[in-house]
Amino acid sequence: QVQLVESGGGSVQAGGSLRLSCTGSGYTYGSYCMGWFRQAPGKEREGVATLDSDGTTNYADSVIGRFTISQDNAKNTLYLQMNSLKPEDTAMYYCAADRGTCVGHIVVDLSGLKFDSDFQYWGQGTQVTVSS
């Protein structure tokens, strides 16, 4: 059974940094599309970043240059390094995994690059709060 457990959330001031971790079990990292999503109160869940099994990364326009997704296969752990945090980054952050590549989860429209949330496995979330 696939399980994902996030950690590393917390409260920081604007401009600060946090690193989220997502430890997985029940499957082998490197053979799935991995993603980070977030959901703020009253808003829809949105994709933040994805990491494909070949190492390809993609980011939502709002976090480019500030967030970095990475993984340590030996530790079965996915990371999201978040720098230069803004109050609008406040949300519950979730990691997700899905068999196959990330290509099918990427949507590009007039408003930019987005990710669909049709991932098979989800963690329980970790809260990130950024104060101004």
Side-chain angles (χ1 to χ4, degrees), residues 46-113:
E46 64 171 349
V48 174
T50 60
L51 174 61
D52 222 325
S53 56
D54 66 355
T56 301
T57 58
N58 283 283
Y59 297 91
D61 291 346
S62 60
V63 306
I64 288 175
R66 301 188 299 122
F67 290 11
T68 303
I69 187 172
S70 63
Q71 68 182 16
D72 184 333
N73 288 349
K75 296 181 179 180
N76 265 19
T77 300
L78 180 75
Y79 301 102
L80 184 68
Q81 178 66 45
M82 305 185 295
N83 300 326
S84 301
L85 283 162
K86 304 176 181 179
E88 51 263 44
D89 295 318
T90 294
M92 185 72 79
Y93 282 71
Y94 301 88
C95 71
D98 197 41
R99 294 181 183 273
T101 73
C102 296
V103 173
H105 292 292
I106 297 171
V107 179
V108 180
D109 59 22
L110 293 177
S111 62
L113 186 149

Side-chain angles (χ1 to χ4, degrees), residues 35-38 45-48 92-94 96 116-117 119 122:
W36 284 100
F37 289 76
R38 65 186 182 187
R45 184 174 295 185
E46 64 171 349
V48 174
M92 185 72 79
Y93 282 71
Y94 301 88
D116 72 38
S117 59
F119 281 65
W122 292 84

Side-chain angles (χ1 to χ4, degrees), residues 10-18 85 128-132:
S11 297
V12 295
Q13 290 191 327
S17 298
L18 284 173
L85 283 162
V128 172
T129 302
V130 184
S131 58
S132 58

